[in-house]
Amino acid sequence: MDSSSVSKPKMAVLAAFLYTAIMGIGMFYMKTVQGITYGDPAMMNLFWFILIILNALNAFWVTRYFGWQAIGFRPLDRQQLLWFLPSIAVLIAMWVVCLSGLSQTSLTAAQWQLFAVAGFTTLLVGLGEETMYRGIVLHAFLTTHRVRWAMLVSAIGFSLLHAVNVFGGVPLLSVPAQLVMTFLLGFLFASLMLIPIKYEVAPN
């Protein structure tokens, strides 16, 4: 595909569509073939492989059509990092509580392995989703010089990604609430992504 003939926003939509489709196929395979329901700890043993594929695909899109710096991988000013201190504090507190709880329990080797796989899978989820929706999609639509529109599209794409959870066994009635929640989080995350970066954009 010739990147010069396709606009960045259209390329980003295609990338997000493929990301969502692969995730949906993975959910469907997990539920119908493996008999593993979304939320079952056993899904971690399968899903990390799918997430590696998605992250590799992200790396291809960024390297071939966008560029890492163009999607937000830039040096950050220390003062700008102050905006992230509340989130960092919450994460540190969660890890302290988690590790203190683990230190008081006796886990088997299989349980420690599951814990490690869960941590690795969570890392891949965060890396993949942030690269796609707050990286590729958000920054591609920022080229239209419409910041709120870029944030909206990024949040919608992030929300729709979680609709495929229904293929993994999530009850259909639970999906609307999950879509609303992930949309709001997507809009918030897009805002946080834009804080450290200055853009010369036309007024919305």
Side-chain angles (χ1 to χ4, degrees):
M1 184 182 297
D2 184 5
S3 60
S4 62
S5 63
V6 182
S7 68
K8 296 296 184 183
K10 289 182 179 179
M11 191 73 69
V13 169
L14 175 60
F17 174 80
L18 290 177
Y19 191 100
T20 304
I22 293 173
M23 184 69 78
I25 292 171
M27 288 285 184
F28 182 80
Y29 174 81
M30 177 186 74
K31 179 67 170 60
T32 60
V33 179
Q34 297 293 324
I36 302 173
T37 304
Y38 181 87
D40 188 326
M43 72 176 287
M44 298 295 180
N45 294 322
L46 167 69
F47 229 69
W48 66 268
F49 180 72
I50 297 172
L51 291 168
I52 285 181
I53 294 175
L54 289 172
N55 277 279
L57 185 60
N58 280 351
F60 166 77
W61 286 113
V62 175
T63 304
R64 179 68 176 82
Y65 298 110
F66 295 94
W68 293 101
Q69 186 172 354
I71 69 163
F73 284 83
R74 303 182 180 92
L76 295 176
D77 187 277
R78 292 181 180 178
Q79 292 182 344
Q80 294 167 337
L81 286 174
L82 292 175
W83 288 95
F84 297 92
L85 284 181
S87 299
I88 294 173
V90 170
L91 289 174
I92 292 175
M94 291 174 63
W95 272 106
V96 169
V97 172
C98 179
L99 293 176
S100 62
L102 287 175
S103 64
Q104 299 174 7
T105 60
S106 179
L107 299 180
T108 64
Q111 289 173 324
W112 276 113
Q113 181 180 359
L114 180 60
F115 182 74
V117 171
F120 180 59
T121 303
T122 302
L123 176 64
L124 291 176
V125 168
L127 180 61
E129 293 181 356
E130 292 305 312
T131 301
M132 175 54 67
Y133 297 100
R134 261 71 66 183
I136 294 174
V137 175
L138 178 64
H139 287 80
F141 277 87
L142 282 173
T143 62
T144 65
H145 302 294
R146 299 170 64 189
V147 176
R148 284 193 286 270
W149 173 243
M151 293 170 63
L152 181 63
V153 173
S154 173
I156 291 174
F158 182 61
S159 177
L160 291 177
L161 169 68
H162 293 80
V164 304
N165 291 344
V166 72
F167 297 122
V170 173
L172 186 60
L173 293 178
S174 301
V175 173
Q178 192 174 37
L179 292 181
V180 172
M181 182 60 66
T182 50
F183 172 81
L184 295 175
L185 287 174
F187 207 84
L188 172 63
F189 294 157
S191 302
L192 290 174
M193 180 67 186
L194 294 177
I195 287 171
I197 305 171
K198 295 181 179 179
Y199 289 97
E200 295 181 359
V201 297
N204 289 287

